[in-house]
Amino acid sequence: MILKKFRVKDFRSIVDTGWIDCQTLTAFAGENESGKTTLLMALLKLMPVRSASSYSTLKGNGGKWARINLKSDVPIDRAEELMPVINDVTFIQAVFELPAATRALISETYGGWNPGGIVTISKTYGGGYSVAEAASLDADAREKVTAFLTGKIPEFMYFQEMTQVNSKIDLVSLAYKLSGLKKNQKLTERESVFSNLLNYLDIWESNLIKSIAEKYDELSKCSEAEIDFRVIFDAIPLFYQRFKRGFSELNAQFAKWWGDENITIGFEPYKRGILIKVTDKDGDSYLLENRSTGFRRFFGLFLSFSVTARRDYENAILLFDEAGAALHPLTQRKLAVFFQELGKHTQIFYNTHTSYMLPVAEMNRVRVVFKDNSGHTCIGKQLTLNAQRTNEMSLFPVYSSLVFHISEKSLAGCLPIITLNEEDRCYLTLIKNVLSATQKFNTIYETLVFSTGPNGIDACAELLSEGGSLSTVILPSDAAGKAVKKRLTDGLYSKVPHKVLELSDLFPGAVTSEDIIPAEFIELFSRMYLAELLGKGFVYDRRRGLIEQIEAYAREKRIALPGNYRAEIAKRMKLSTMRNFASFRVKIKNTYFRNWTRMWERLVEL
């Protein structure tokens, strides 16, 4: 059955998520403590792993997280209300799509009753299940239908931290456990990973047991100390060939996802099993312990899911809690693509607070998790900023993901301009847009304006340089701007000092970027923010500089100005102008148009 949507209510920090649509892969983005893990916990408790299996020993499966715990799961702020009836309180509802064969079997077994293509299954804190579509059946039939359908629910498997794989595979201990010679011995997390690997390589488990038995008569009569895999590999060439063939196939898959065809994963026998080694492009071999933590975790995750997904997880839904947290950003991107491929074979839910883990080309798979003003977890129905801005932090990875995706394509061949402050960037971008909208000046270049602090200009310039050509820098004509200009022209820009400009070089008399914008613009589009910032008593005099007046008024009234107030004015004015440009009636003097046009002509020329 495929999970189509679910709803969580009265669970931990959640009051009611509403219905959350699902796909084969669904990503939950949000900041720390927003409730991302809470969602996965609710899903896990719907139907955790039912039986002991080679993968049930992985973290979270069949353990404390899977069990309903009234102390931790019932919302603290509603416990007094819910506890008297807690066994009957539904904490999760899930809508599943039924396969045709299941529908036919239900109809045949229960006298033609057909629930249709979907069923809605709910679970209470008391552990009871119910099927909404079976409500009309008599009690006996309803009970049987519910038991049948809950038995078909996929197992939810939760993974919090992936195994950091080591090079040694103790095949002796693994063989004894899987063959039953060690009673009541569960596989360790690492053994689970390797048993999946060896299963995939088609050298486990009957083939391995049989090969060992042929060499040592009967495995059951043989002590662990007597087994030596170096002898087995020498004495049973076919067994060794299976390992070689399997690792060759493994290499082809891993190289694809890791993105480096020069790396080879190999092995060599030792007394109790095999050692996994990684060989680089220079032919140097290293044990896995000598590779980075990120590489080992990615390799462990790859072993667990790539090679066995179609076989072991066919009727499972995988829940990954911050799976890529310890990985390099670019490795996180590989993992996100890997999850998309894995999602073709089994349904996946994962949460993240990093932009690199989001499927940027398929953002319809992303749901935003955030807390409202009362501290309750909410799920954003749309990837937009809500009126209370309570989802702003959780939207950050979504915005960052899109910006990163766009920047990779836009930076190539663009006309980059570096400014000192955020307000400078906003005003210059606004001017460019106004010139374009009024057809006063157009250019074939895609102009991108960047802002950075005084200590970031050098690095930003080097990053954006193309073919050794440094970007143009525009600085205020005040003391701070002049100091930065001297440092740049004495250093990085010593050979191209003409590329470091002051605003007064581009716009006569300008000191700060507010001086290159008509006073009418500032008065019209920043009026509400200035009233919010300074109170209704502030009156803007167009004949004097805006910043000078704001700071003088604030000193007089003992008002503490926020450090980013200039940038906030610029951002609000830019957005308001662009939204209302076609309808507002402020006339821009031709002097501004002439100076703006000369400014952009010079920037393009540089």
Side-chain angles (χ1 to χ4, degrees):
M1 297 197 299
I2 303 296
L3 182 60
K4 303 301 290 183
K5 58 183 178 179
F6 71 97
R7 181 179 189 176
V8 181
K9 297 176 65 177
D10 300 322
F11 183 79
R12 300 191 181 185
S13 61
I14 295 172
V15 175
D16 186 353
T17 62
W19 286 104
I20 304 170
D21 293 327
C22 310
Q23 301 195 41
T24 54
L25 180 142
T26 305
F28 296 106
E31 63 176 316
N32 292 329
E33 300 294 315
S34 60
K36 304 186 301 297
T37 298
T38 296
L39 281 172
L40 299 189
M41 288 293 99
L43 286 170
L44 173 65
K45 292 170 194 286
L46 174 64
M47 183 57 71
V49 172
R50 299 177 181 91
S51 59
S53 61
S54 63
Y55 52 71
S56 66
T57 56
L58 292 174
K59 290 189 178 179
N61 294 314
K64 61 180 180 180
W65 291 291
R67 296 188 296 269
I68 294 172
N69 186 326
L70 298 183
K71 289 184 178 180
S72 60
D73 294 339
V74 177
I76 295 175
D77 58 350
R78 299 192 61 206
E80 186 176 345
E81 171 193 348
L82 296 173
M83 287 304 290
V85 292
I86 196 62
N87 285 340
D88 297 322
V89 174
T90 295
F91 70 89
I92 188 166
Q93 298 169 277
V95 173
F96 290 94
E97 183 179 64
L98 290 177
T102 302
R103 295 201 304 269
L105 181 59
I106 292 173
S107 180
E108 180 183 338
T109 306
Y110 301 101
W113 178 74
N114 192 335
I118 62 171
V119 291
T120 306
I121 300 177
S122 304
K123 188 175 183 180
T124 66
Y125 275 106
Y129 292 93
S130 61
V131 179
E133 289 74 14
S136 60
L137 298 175
D138 62 62
D140 183 59
R142 186 167 62 249
E143 183 179 344
K144 290 179 180 177
V145 165
T146 301
F148 174 81
L149 288 172
T150 53
K152 296 292 183 181
I153 296 176
E155 298 178 328
F156 286 85
M157 302 174 59
Y158 171 75
F159 304 94
Q160 187 178 49
E161 293 181 7
M162 297 315 304
T163 306
Q164 186 171 301
V165 182
N166 291 329
S167 56
K168 284 188 177 181
I169 304 182
D170 188 341
L171 295 179
V172 174
S173 179
L174 193 56
Y176 267 71
K177 287 182 181 181
L178 290 178
S179 62
L181 296 176
K182 282 191 174 182
K183 303 299 182 185
N184 301 319
Q185 290 285 324
K186 290 184 178 181
L187 298 183
T188 66
E189 191 174 353
R190 189 169 293 116
E191 286 172 339
S192 296
V193 172
F194 288 134
S195 66
N196 286 334
L197 165 64
L198 299 176
N199 237 335
Y200 170 77
L201 298 180
D202 197 25
I203 52 181
W204 199 262
E205 58 193 71
S206 60
N207 284 331
L208 178 59
I209 300 298
K210 183 179 178 182
S211 299
I212 296 174
E214 288 174 352
K215 177 64 183 172
Y216 290 99
D217 190 16
E218 292 183 23
L219 183 61
S220 59
K221 297 178 182 178
C222 187
S223 71
E224 287 189 62
E226 295 178 88
I227 300 177
D228 187 339
F229 270 83
R230 293 170 297 189
V231 176
I232 291 175
F233 279 156
D234 289 339
I236 311 172
L238 180 61
F239 189 51
Y240 179 70
Q241 290 303 318
R242 287 198 185 106
F243 264 88
K244 286 189 65 176
R245 184 179 67 247
F247 268 83
S248 176
E249 196 169 333
L250 178 74
N251 267 310
Q253 279 200 38
F254 184 72
K256 171 187 174 183
W257 294 113
W258 185 249
D260 187 351
E261 295 182 355
N262 295 315
I263 285 182
T264 304
I265 310 294
F267 70 95
E268 66 179 43
Y270 81 108
K271 181 174 174 58
R272 295 186 62 86
I274 63 171
L275 296 172
I276 295 182
K277 290 195 168 184
V278 182
T279 304
D280 61 22
K281 61 181 180 180
D282 298 321
D284 296 323
S285 294
Y286 304 90
L287 293 176
L288 278 174
E289 285 85 342
N290 296 324
R291 301 293 300 193
S292 68
T293 299
F295 180 93
R296 292 161 64 192
R297 286 188 172 171
F298 187 90
F299 184 60
L301 189 143
F302 170 80
L303 293 184
S304 296
F305 300 104
S306 177
V307 298
T308 60
R310 302 188 191 190
R311 189 176 307 168
D312 287 342
Y313 304 123
E314 283 181 350
N315 194 39
I317 295 177
L318 309 183
L319 310 173
F320 293 100
D321 194 356
E322 301 287 4
L327 302 179
H328 183 275
L330 293 181
T331 306
Q332 289 179 359
R333 293 181 69 193
K334 297 174 188 177
L335 182 58
V337 176
F338 177 67
F339 277 168
Q340 288 176 262
E341 180 65 24
L342 187 57
K344 296 176 182 177
H345 312 299
T346 187
Q347 205 164 4
I348 293 177
F349 294 83
Y350 71 91
N351 61 34
T352 185
H353 54 246
T354 169
S355 58
Y356 300 97
M357 282 297 298
L358 297 180
V360 67
E362 300 180 8
M363 278 297 187
N364 60 320
R365 298 177 181 269
V366 178
R367 307 287 178 267
V368 173
V369 185
F370 62 97
K371 283 192 175 178
D372 61 18
N373 289 324
S374 61
H376 293 123
T377 294
C378 302
I379 311 299
K381 303 298 181 185
Q382 297 175 315
L383 301 181
T384 54
L385 191 64
N386 61 30
Q388 295 76 33
R389 302 177 74 91
T390 48
N391 64 343
E392 188 170 15
M393 289 293 290
S394 290
L395 273 171
F396 181 77
V398 180
Y399 291 156
S400 298
S401 180
L402 287 173
V403 168
F404 186 82
H405 182 67
I406 293 168
S407 67
E408 285 185 301
K409 299 167 177 56
S410 300
L411 286 178
C414 75
L415 176 64
I417 298 168
I418 301 174
T419 61
L420 188 61
N421 303 306
E422 177 64 11
E423 56 267 26
D424 305 331
R425 185 194 68 80
C426 286
Y427 290 131
L428 283 170
T429 304
L430 173 60
I431 290 170
K432 181 194 70 172
N433 292 339
V434 169
L435 288 174
S436 178
T438 55
Q439 298 184 338
K440 300 289 186 180
F441 179 78
N442 286 299
T443 175
I444 193 172
Y445 292 105
E446 183 169 358
T447 309
L448 295 178
V449 184
F450 299 85
S451 64
T452 179
N455 296 321
I457 290 180
D458 309 66
C460 189
E462 290 175 331
L463 179 66
L464 297 172
S465 65
E466 187 172 340
S469 177
L470 292 170
S471 304
T472 301
V473 178
I474 301 178
L475 299 168
S477 299
D478 56 13
K482 291 181 184 296
V484 173
K485 179 180 180 180
K486 184 177 188 314
R487 178 172 62 77
L488 291 174
T489 53
D490 288 348
L492 182 63
Y493 281 79
S494 60
K495 294 183 179 179
V496 283
H498 61 284
K499 284 200 167 188
V500 182
L501 302 172
E502 294 182 34
L503 279 171
S504 57
D505 297 329
L506 299 168
F507 197 104
V511 177
T512 65
S513 53
E514 288 85 0
D515 297 332
I516 66 176
I517 300 293
E520 296 86 349
F521 267 42
I522 296 176
E523 182 181 24
L524 180 64
F525 292 124
S526 64
R527 189 179 298 157
M528 290 182 62
Y529 178 66
L530 291 176
E532 177 186 327
L533 190 68
L534 302 170
K536 295 183 179 179
F538 176 75
V539 179
Y540 173 40
D541 182 354
R542 297 182 186 178
R543 295 168 298 179
R544 296 168 54 207
L546 173 67
I547 303 305
E548 173 194 347
Q549 292 181 66
I550 289 176
E551 295 187 350
Y553 186 85
R555 283 193 300 272
E556 179 187 343
K557 301 295 182 182
R558 299 182 182 276
I559 297 171
L561 295 171
N564 67 335
Y565 84 92
R566 290 178 61 192
E568 192 63 30
I569 290 174
K571 283 191 288 187
R572 293 188 184 211
M573 204 181 78
K574 174 190 168 187
L575 289 174
S576 296
T577 304
M578 291 169 67
R579 286 171 182 162
N580 304 291
F581 188 73
S583 59
F584 86 94
R585 297 291 181 264
V586 175
K587 183 174 175 59
I588 303 173
K589 296 177 182 177
N590 285 331
T591 304
Y592 280 99
F593 277 122
R594 284 195 300 270
N595 288 328
W596 289 346
T597 302
R598 286 197 210 98
M599 175 190 301
W600 283 100
E601 284 176 346
R602 186 168 178 187
L603 291 174
V604 170
E605 180 184 345
L606 287 171

